[in-house]
Amino acid sequence: MTRAPRQAAAAALAAARRVIPGGVNSPVRAFGAVGGAPPFLVRGRGAELIDTEGHSLIDCVLAYGPLILGHGHPAVTRALRGQLLRGTAFGGPTEAETRLAERIVAAVPSVEMVRLVNSGTEATMSAVRLARAATGREKIVKFDGGYHGHSDGLLAAAGSGVATLGLPGSPGVPAGTVADTIVVPFNDLKAVEGAFEAQGERIAAVLVEPVAGNMGVVPPRAGYLAGLRALTLRWGALLVFDEVMTGFRVAWGGAQALFGVRPDLTCLGKVIGGGLPVGAYGGSRALMEQVAPAGPVYQAGTLSGNPLAVAAGLATLEALADGRAYAALEAAGARLERGLREAAAAAGIALTVNRVGSMLTPFFHPGPVEDYAQARRADRARFAQVHRGWLAAGVFWPPSQFEAGFLSTAHDAATVDRVAAAFATALGAAAGPP
Ligand code: HOZ
């Protein structure tokens, strides 16, 4: 594929930087970890994105996960168009909110009631508040490299953009706020046991991405999630699954359906909004009825349950509900994993591909990659070099070692093979020292 020089993107980034911090509205998008300017995007269709320079890109970012059906899926577009004509915000309840909640309750094993919010960040911070209120305890256990949005208490040792920028945390977060956050390594039950032995009576909840997705994809070891369930039950703490990334992505019903472990609270986002801003948290009736106005735990939002977001989310879940999409997503993910492995083997480069269904991360590391410390040992200079080659060959992959790549139902076998072939080309070009 011959590609025009990326001058327009550089100019667009320079213009954006004059009025937006770093030129982007979410840090990873600035391409700081891989170099160069990000493509400025104009439109998407299926698995394809078009940038301002007219380049066609295979989209493996998919808005960082929401677009499980690809861009412009007819059912989602139809639902959005219909809702657009009826109104975009009402400040009062709609029946569609109940239908989306019913869908979520029917699908997610541990959820009996659910509250819609506007983002994953809101979902996790609200779930933490509820966990603290329900237990009367203050401390939260989270995992090194786990990312749960940008609320103060959860920015300790965080993944995603915090990891990408190599930040220890964030100025502006009061020391007292993170003092109640206990950070332990992911996939290490002994470390969690140690935290409970040290301060078990004070721990309100363990907050975990059941498949870590913000240190790159790191699946749970066999028995790990069940072990967290047993420990939290033993100590009277709540288990909170942050399924913002995995919910309706790795399986209908999320990671808790896939791994057969029921948390007390579940945070959702991304796929349940079909590409519009949304989040949700849910759990047992007894817990959720503590949320205002049913109970005293306050949480609110002007645009919560927004009709457009709900319409896109409902249309997306309806398209996924028969479960057939998950078989196709698994096949596409397995095909890409195989393609990446074969390309690396042919180039003689050590590669570990971590994957659960249609979310995956290549680490230039002999492996295993089972926690954030191991993810950090991957060769990020080579990742950056390959990322540049991938982009030059027409593949839009998340510009960070610590983000997940995604596939959608619009990524057919030929498209997946093009992503793998572009990876092989990029690897060949990057075979020398990075
Ligand atoms: N933290 C988000 C995904 N892990 C990044 C989203 C974005 O930059 O758009």
Side-chain angles (χ1 to χ4, degrees):
M1 197 180 312
T2 317
R3 304 180 56 75
R6 309 187 55 78
Q7 284 150 357
L13 185 62
R17 277 186 176 146
R18 284 195 280 277
V19 286
I20 300 173
V24 289
N25 284 309
S26 194
V28 175
R29 299 178 199 175
F31 269 45
V34 294
F40 276 63
L41 303 164
V42 179
R43 61 179 188 278
R45 169 75 40 203
E48 184 190 30
L49 277 173
I50 304 293
D51 71 8
T52 47
E53 293 165 81
H55 298 127
S56 163
L57 301 166
I58 299 173
D59 186 8
C60 296
V61 176
L62 292 168
Y64 291 89
L67 299 175
I68 196 166
L69 304 176
H71 296 270
H73 186 279
V76 178
T77 305
R78 201 163 41 243
L80 278 172
R81 209 174 261 142
Q83 188 55 51
L84 202 50
L85 299 176
R86 291 192 295 276
T88 60
F90 299 131
T94 61
E95 291 182 329
E97 289 163 76
T98 310
R99 285 204 299 280
L100 181 56
E102 285 168 349
R103 269 277 183 219
I104 292 170
V105 165
V108 183
S110 68
V111 173
E112 292 175 348
M113 294 186 95
V114 63
R115 166 59 61 82
L116 297 181
V117 293
N118 295 293
S119 68
T121 293
E122 277 187 49
T124 52
M125 73 182 202
S126 307
V128 164
R129 180 178 303 148
L130 177 54
R132 286 179 164 144
T135 57
R137 301 172 178 184
E138 291 190 347
K139 300 219 174 274
I140 299 293
V141 174
K142 79 172 280 291
F143 297 92
D144 191 20
Y147 182 76
H148 309 283
H150 59 91
S151 66
D152 282 357
L154 300 177
L155 272 185
S160 188
V162 183
T164 304
L165 299 176
L167 302 175
S170 173
V173 173
T177 310
V178 277
D180 283 325
T181 308
I182 302 166
V183 179
V184 295
F186 184 65
N187 262 332
D188 179 352
L189 273 182
K190 283 256 168 288
V192 184
E193 214 170 321
F196 274 113
E197 272 156 18
Q199 333 201 41
E201 311 291 325
R202 302 178 64 196
I203 295 174
V206 172
L207 175 57
V208 65
E209 297 168 81
V211 175
N214 288 286
M215 52 180 101
V217 173
V218 179
R221 281 190 182 132
Y224 178 67
L225 298 174
L228 292 181
R229 178 66 285 180
L231 276 172
T232 44
L233 281 173
R234 187 181 321 149
W235 288 92
L238 300 191
L239 180 61
V240 183
F241 274 8
D242 178 345
E243 295 227 41
V244 169
M245 205 177 267
T246 54
F248 294 95
R249 161 62 66 180
V250 296
W252 178 253
Q256 58 195 267
L258 188 66
F259 295 105
V261 175
R262 289 187 185 212
D264 298 292
L265 289 172
T266 299
C267 303
L268 296 166
K270 297 196 191 272
V271 168
I272 65 158
L276 275 84
V278 92
Y281 64 107
S284 68
R285 183 171 304 281
L287 276 174
M288 292 306 291
E289 283 192 335
Q290 297 187 40
V291 176
V297 182
Y298 198 72
Q299 174 269 309
T302 299
L303 289 171
S304 293
N306 175 261
L308 282 173
V310 167
L314 254 181
T316 300
L317 296 195
E318 272 157 22
L320 295 170
D322 66 13
R324 278 184 305 175
Y326 293 100
L329 288 162
E330 167 61 29
R335 189 177 184 98
L336 182 55
E337 177 184 343
R338 199 165 51 245
L340 300 185
R341 284 187 200 285
E342 284 171 4
I349 291 173
L351 182 76
T352 296
V353 182
N354 279 357
R355 178 181 73 84
V356 177
S358 57
M359 55 188 276
L360 71 164
T361 300
F363 294 95
F364 293 104
H365 184 295
V369 179
E370 296 185 331
D371 61 21
Y372 183 43
Q374 288 171 346
R376 272 202 316 260
R377 284 202 278 276
D379 184 345
R380 275 177 274 162
R382 192 176 299 282
F383 176 87
Q385 211 173 22
V386 168
H387 189 278
R388 289 191 289 276
W390 231 343
L391 185 65
V395 174
F396 187 49
W397 191 268
S400 167
Q401 181 69 83
F402 305 120
E403 296 287 349
F406 295 99
L407 298 174
S408 76
T409 53
H411 289 69
D412 58 17
T415 305
V416 168
D417 289 348
R418 282 169 57 208
V419 175
F423 182 79
T425 308
L427 259 190

